[in-house]
Amino acid sequence: MKKTILVLSTLLLTVAIAAGCGQKSADPQPGDQTEVVQPAEQTLKIQSFYTDDQILNLVPKDTEIRFSDAKAKYLAALKTLQQTEDEKLIALWDESEFLSATLKDDGALTVDVKIPEDAHLGASGEDLALQALLKTSFQFDEVKTVDILVDGKSVDSLMGHVELEHPFSRN
């Protein structure tokens, strides 16, 4: 009988230990990995630039951008140039893609764009698109220069009409 009680006690103890092994404590323990906390989304009111329906003038439009960190705000600002809800305005960058916008410590913003052939504009449209990009970028005080790359390459012109400076400086 003592032997049976001893075997049952050992078996019961083993089952109890095994049942507890798969459970994780609800309280974090030192050394436990915790979830990475994402930075809070920030919002900022900026001006985005579009053209009138005759493609003659730039028209500023107040816009709100959302971004997770300071590095993302420039790309978020440029992406506003790709669409407008105002039917009287034209987004000159609607068929192009902003690949990146990186600001260096010295205030040099490098913008990389992809411009498909069917997104090419005439001379006046290209000039207005370039001005829209520059005005949107230079509204941030920390941006001192803007260098525009096409598919990662320094090119003479965005679409073949307007010569690019490398970099453009704040006026």
Side-chain angles (χ1 to χ4, degrees):
M1 179 84 167
K2 284 184 176 182
K3 193 173 186 181
T4 305
I5 292 176
L6 183 62
V7 170
L8 285 175
S9 296
T10 304
L11 184 59
L12 190 61
L13 182 60
T14 304
V15 170
I17 290 173
C21 284
Q23 297 178 357
K24 190 170 184 177
S25 171
D27 297 327
Q29 300 295 319
D32 282 355
Q33 288 190 356
T34 58
E35 284 186 38
V36 176
V37 177
Q38 295 294 327
E41 187 174 72
Q42 300 175 42
T43 59
L44 182 65
K45 289 188 181 192
I46 64 164
Q47 283 193 324
S48 297
F49 295 85
Y50 307 97
T51 186
D52 57 17
D53 59 358
Q54 301 296 312
I55 309 179
L56 296 174
N57 299 303
L58 280 184
V59 178
K61 186 91 171 154
D62 290 334
T63 310
E64 185 172 272
I65 58 172
R66 298 179 190 284
F67 53 94
S68 58
D69 60 29
K71 292 178 182 179
K73 89 174 160 182
Y74 310 105
L75 189 57
L78 292 171
K79 286 185 175 189
T80 66
L81 301 176
Q82 294 178 293
Q83 61 187 3
T84 179
E85 294 177 11
D86 189 332
E87 293 178 10
K88 296 177 185 171
L89 300 177
I90 297 172
L92 294 165
W93 290 95
D94 64 335
E95 295 182 35
S96 299
E97 180 182 356
F98 290 101
L99 302 173
S100 66
T102 309
L103 184 70
K104 294 181 183 168
D105 291 338
D106 63 355
L109 180 66
T110 302
V111 177
D112 191 8
V113 299
K114 181 175 190 65
I115 305 171
E117 281 291 323
D118 58 335
H120 284 204
L121 305 167
S124 62
E126 180 180 348
D127 183 52
L128 289 170
L130 177 60
Q131 294 307 315
L133 185 153
L134 293 173
K135 286 179 180 252
T136 300
S137 300
F138 281 131
Q139 69 188 302
F140 300 107
D141 292 335
E142 63 271 22
V143 176
K144 305 298 181 212
T145 62
V146 177
D147 194 16
I148 303 169
L149 308 177
V150 177
D151 293 321
K153 298 176 188 158
S154 181
V155 295
D156 294 333
S157 176
L158 287 175
M159 302 170 198
H161 303 289
V162 178
E163 189 173 328
L164 294 179
E165 295 177 26
H166 293 285
F168 287 92
S169 297
R170 181 186 293 277
N171 291 341

